[in-house]
Amino acid sequence: MTTRTKIAGAVLGAVVAGALAFVPLTDDGSAADGGGDGGGSLAAGPAQKEAVPSFTATDWVSYGDQVAVVRVTAEHELREPDEGAETDTAGGGEDYLARTVDLQVKERVWARSGAPALPSALSFTADGWQVKDGARKELGSPDSSRLEVGHAYVITLARFSGGAWAPLGSGGVLPYDHGRVGEGEFRGETVTSDAYRSAWEARAVPGDEAPVASRTAGKPSSAVREVLRGTRPDATAARYPGLDPVAGYRRAAGGGSEPAETFCSVAAPLAVSEDSRYTPQELAAVLGDLAALAGRDAASLRAYAASLTAGDGTPAAVDDAAREASVAGIERECGTDVGELLPTDM
C-alpha cells in the first residue's frame, strides 16, 4: 500500500476494521472541506462516502442495533504487521498511523427489537494520525467527533458482518460530556452545546430530516431515546432485521446496479462438488458474509466463524454445535451439500 493510499483510506469516524463500512469517495486524496484547520492540531481527512447513512433518527432505527452512552478509556496505535517504525516518514513523506479506542458502556439508551446484546466494553478502529516529516497530526472528520480519551459520547452502534461492534457511521457519534448532547469533543476540539447546535443548523437542508445531533443538542440521553421511540424505520430495512447494516442498507436502497448477492449465491462455493479450498480464516469470512444475509441461522454462523478465527480451525477449538447448525441451515435454505463444513486448506 502506498503512502498516498494510506492517507486516502483513513477512516472518518469510528468504524470496524475490515467491515468496509466506509469507502473512498475520491481517489485523488483530496481533503474534505472542514473550513480549514486554522493552524490547529486536527488535519481534515479525505472526502469519504459512507456505506450506511447515520445522521438522522430514521437512519439510526433502520440500521443501528443499540444506542449507548460510552466513555473512551484508552487509545492504542494500530500498525500493520510489516510496518516499520514511525521514523520511516522522517525523509519528507506522509503516512497514516491508525488508532483503536477502548470504550466503557455507561448507559444503554435504546435498542432495536431483537437486537444482539451489547457488551459492557468495546474496542474498534477510530481516526488516527497523519505523520509527516516525522511529526504527528491528529486526523479527523469535519462532521464527527474524533473519540478522544476521557470524553463521553452518545453512539449508535451496530454489529457488522463477522460479529464486530462499531458505530453506524460518523453521524452516529454525539459528544456527551456533563450529561448533555453537544458538550465535549467534536472535530478534535472541546465545544459547548450551543456551538454544536449552531454547527449543525448551518448545514440544514430545507425539506430533509434534521440530524439527531441538531434535534437533541443541549439535552440529556433521555431526549435521544424519545426521538428514536417516535421514529419509524425504513420499511424495507424493517423486513430484514437479520441483515448486517451494510447489507440491510443495500437492500433498502435497491441493491445498486449489480445483482444483489443472496444467501445461496454466497454459499455456493462451499458445496462439496466445487472442491473449494479454504483456510480457517477464509472460511470464517464466508460464514460472516452468510450471517449478514441469514435470518434464524445468523447466530450459529457467527458462532462457528468466531471459533474458527479464535482457534485457527483446530478440532479442539471448533464449535461443533454451531458448525452442525450452520450445515443444517445452509442445506435447508439452498439444498447444497456442504459436507462437514470444515477448513480444507490448513
Side-chain angles (χ1 to χ4, degrees):
M1 180 183 292
T2 66
T3 296
R4 189 176 188 84
T5 302
K6 287 182 181 179
I7 296 295
V11 181
L12 300 187
V15 61
V16 58
L20 301 182
F22 292 84
V23 293
L25 179 61
T26 61
D27 58 7
D28 61 359
S30 58
D33 180 10
D37 62 19
S41 61
L42 187 69
Q48 297 277 321
K49 179 181 178 181
E50 298 185 11
V52 183
S54 61
F55 289 90
T56 69
T58 300
D59 298 335
W60 287 30
V61 301
S62 297
Y63 310 111
D65 288 316
Q66 299 265 2
V67 175
V69 174
V70 303
R71 181 170 293 276
V72 181
T73 58
E75 65 181 6
H76 313 277
E77 294 179 3
L78 180 63
R79 294 182 179 274
E80 296 179 1
D82 59 347
E83 190 174 347
E86 189 173 299
T87 53
D88 290 348
T89 62
E94 294 186 11
D95 208 345
Y96 175 68
L97 182 59
R99 180 176 66 116
T100 60
V101 290
D102 299 339
L103 288 75
Q104 191 72 34
V105 174
K106 297 297 183 181
E107 177 191 351
R108 288 166 172 79
V109 177
W110 173 89
R112 173 182 59 79
S113 177
L118 181 67
S120 60
L122 299 164
S123 296
F124 46 72
T125 304
D127 292 326
W129 299 272
Q130 176 181 319
V131 185
K132 184 176 182 179
D133 298 330
R136 291 189 190 184
K137 197 167 190 179
E138 294 176 346
L139 190 70
S141 165
D143 293 323
S144 185
S145 294
R146 189 172 179 273
L147 289 171
E148 296 189 340
V149 175
H151 288 281
Y153 303 87
V154 173
I155 300 186
T156 177
L157 295 150
R159 194 167 70 174
F160 287 79
S161 177
W165 286 91
L168 190 62
S170 59
V173 181
L174 315 182
Y176 196 66
D177 289 353
H178 317 301
R180 292 200 298 177
V181 173
E183 294 278 345
E185 183 270 318
F186 181 59
R187 302 171 177 168
E189 303 289 342
T190 300
V191 299
T192 65
S193 58
D194 288 341
Y196 184 72
R197 182 188 298 106
S198 296
W200 284 107
E201 288 178 348
R203 292 170 173 261
V205 177
D208 284 0
E209 181 181 351
V212 177
S214 61
R215 294 177 67 180
T216 60
K219 300 176 182 179
S221 60
S222 58
V224 176
R225 180 184 300 113
E226 291 307 309
V227 167
L228 298 180
R229 285 178 174 175
T231 302
R232 288 180 174 272
D234 175 270
T236 303
R239 291 201 299 271
Y240 301 97
L243 296 183
D244 96 311
V246 177
Y249 176 61
R250 285 175 178 169
R251 189 178 290 270
S257 57
E258 297 182 1
E261 289 187 322
T262 66
F263 181 89
C264 292
S265 70
V266 174
L270 299 175
V272 173
S273 60
E274 293 295 324
D275 195 29
S276 300
R277 311 292 294 177
Y278 291 96
T279 65
Q281 291 78 14
E282 289 168 344
L283 180 56
V286 174
L287 294 168
D289 291 340
L290 287 172
L293 299 169
R296 56 177 170 167
D297 299 308
S300 296
L301 290 160
R302 290 193 181 102
Y304 181 33
S307 73
L308 287 169
T309 302
D312 290 329
T314 57
V318 167
D319 185 335
D320 276 323
R323 178 183 62 82
E324 292 172 0
S326 297
V327 170
I330 294 171
E331 294 184 345
R332 181 183 63 251
E333 291 296 322
C334 307
T336 302
D337 180 6
V338 295
E340 295 184 347
L341 200 61
L342 288 167
T344 52
D345 187 357
M346 301 296 289

